[in-house]
Amino acid sequence: MNVNEVNCLACGSAQVEKFLRLPDVPVFCNVLWETADKATAAPRGDLDLGICGDCGHVFNLGFDAELVRYAEGYENSLHHSPRFQQYAEELAADLRARHNLKGAHVVEIACGQGDFLKLVCADEGCTGSGFDPSFRGEQIADNIAIHGEYFGVRPLAQAADLVCCRHALGHIDTPVPFMKSVRSALPDDTQATLFFEMPNSLYSLRDGGVWDFIYEHVSYFCGTTLTACFEKAGLGVSRTWETFDGQFLCIEANANGETSGEADASPVPTATELTK
């Protein structure tokens, strides 16, 4: 393994080691091309994974953000799966129960077509705002407004009580600056909770969930590295936990920078253990 000069995207450490290279892989896994010629001409890039020796964060050193442009036609929804839909409904019900969302306003970053946002905003008086450049323009509910653009293009029209983001942070090549931008979009005195979900790197590396190694994923987080990312952005982590049989990782945080609560008890392997 070679020591890489790029610093860790989560904690900033320079102790990054390369351990896996897959050259010339398709950039998108979630685009259905219209013709065979367009499919064979689809953009490609190198998957060149490194791991941080300090916090265990895994990321693609060969990632080129210019190759990845999300727009209408990109579709990664799993809500057609009865198993995943049941999970999403249970997750949304848990968020509603714990955060008292009656009359609240929920913002979802990378909301797709709004399937999960609709579930979270099911309580009386709850409204939602979603942001996603792949949005096709179909209104999903009267209490939800979705903007077909990236989050941050416009100021929030209404203060958020809950900010959700599922399976998108791993696609962003500057996770700490992005989380700082999320914080800066909220009022200084906000009491909003931030809820993020993403693939769990420990499941991919420890348990063989190799299907998550795709070009679209810049970062692969475990509980420790996700906490490091949020805290470096000035957010206070209250909880991290594994879900969906360990395949997914969730985190909740506040905007005041105070860290409290429970962390995921799963041990974090060292770089040597993960790459041997």
Side-chain angles (χ1 to χ4, degrees):
M1 290 178 287
N2 298 317
V3 176
N4 180 60
E5 296 179 355
V6 177
N7 289 357
C8 173
L9 298 183
C11 74
S13 170
Q15 300 302 313
V16 178
E17 300 178 37
K18 297 180 180 181
F19 70 93
L20 175 65
R21 177 174 172 79
L22 297 174
D24 203 31
V25 300
V27 166
F28 291 111
C29 290
N30 299 294
V31 173
L32 183 62
W33 301 100
E34 297 174 350
T35 66
D37 288 341
K38 289 183 177 180
T40 55
R44 293 173 175 269
D46 295 337
L47 195 65
D48 194 7
L49 296 185
I51 186 168
C52 175
D54 285 338
C55 75
H57 187 58
V58 174
F59 62 100
N60 182 11
L61 286 66
F63 184 80
D64 181 356
E66 293 300 317
L67 294 177
V68 186
R69 296 294 181 184
Y70 299 105
E72 187 173 343
Y74 180 86
E75 179 58 81
N76 69 343
S77 174
L78 298 176
H79 287 270
H80 58 276
S81 161
R83 173 68 182 91
F84 187 82
Q85 179 65 17
Q86 177 187 1
Y87 165 70
E89 292 173 356
E90 293 171 350
L91 178 61
D94 176 66
L95 289 172
R96 296 199 310 269
R98 290 191 296 105
H99 297 295
N100 187 23
L101 297 180
K102 291 183 179 180
H105 186 65
V106 178
V107 170
E108 185 176 10
I109 301 168
C111 67
Q113 307 312 310
D115 299 283
F116 185 71
L117 185 57
K118 181 179 179 180
L119 295 174
V120 177
C121 295
D123 286 347
E124 180 181 357
C126 186
T127 58
S129 298
F131 297 86
D132 199 304
S134 71
F135 178 56
R136 296 190 293 268
E138 302 168 5
Q139 185 174 4
I140 194 168
D142 292 340
N143 62 329
I144 292 173
I146 299 178
H147 307 283
E149 60 194 32
Y150 287 103
F151 175 82
V153 170
R154 68 177 74 192
L156 291 177
Q158 183 177 350
D161 298 291
L162 175 67
V163 178
C164 295
C165 182
R166 302 180 69 218
H167 299 268
L169 187 60
H171 294 239
I172 297 171
D173 61 335
T174 54
V176 173
F178 177 77
M179 293 311 306
K180 289 182 178 179
S181 74
V182 173
R183 174 61 188 92
S184 66
L186 302 173
D188 291 341
D189 60 350
T190 182
Q191 298 298 311
T193 296
L194 288 78
F195 168 79
F196 279 60
E197 179 189 67
M198 60 217 65
N200 179 10
S201 69
L202 294 186
Y203 184 87
S204 299
L205 294 164
R206 177 193 61 203
D207 302 326
V210 295
W211 50 82
D212 274 323
F213 291 132
I214 60 175
Y215 191 85
E216 291 177 44
H217 290 165
V218 189
S219 287
Y220 303 83
F221 292 95
C222 66
T224 300
T225 68
L226 190 55
T227 298
C229 174
F230 272 55
E231 291 182 346
K232 199 168 181 63
L235 300 168
V237 176
S238 56
R239 184 187 179 201
T240 65
W241 71 103
E242 294 182 354
T243 188
F244 207 62
D245 296 329
Q247 186 174 344
F248 299 157
L249 177 67
C250 298
I251 188 169
E252 285 189 356
N254 58 68
N256 61 23
E258 296 180 1
T259 299
S260 62
E262 60 187 87
D264 183 357
S266 300
V268 179
T270 64
T272 300
E273 289 172 334
L274 288 176
T275 58
K276 65 183 179 180

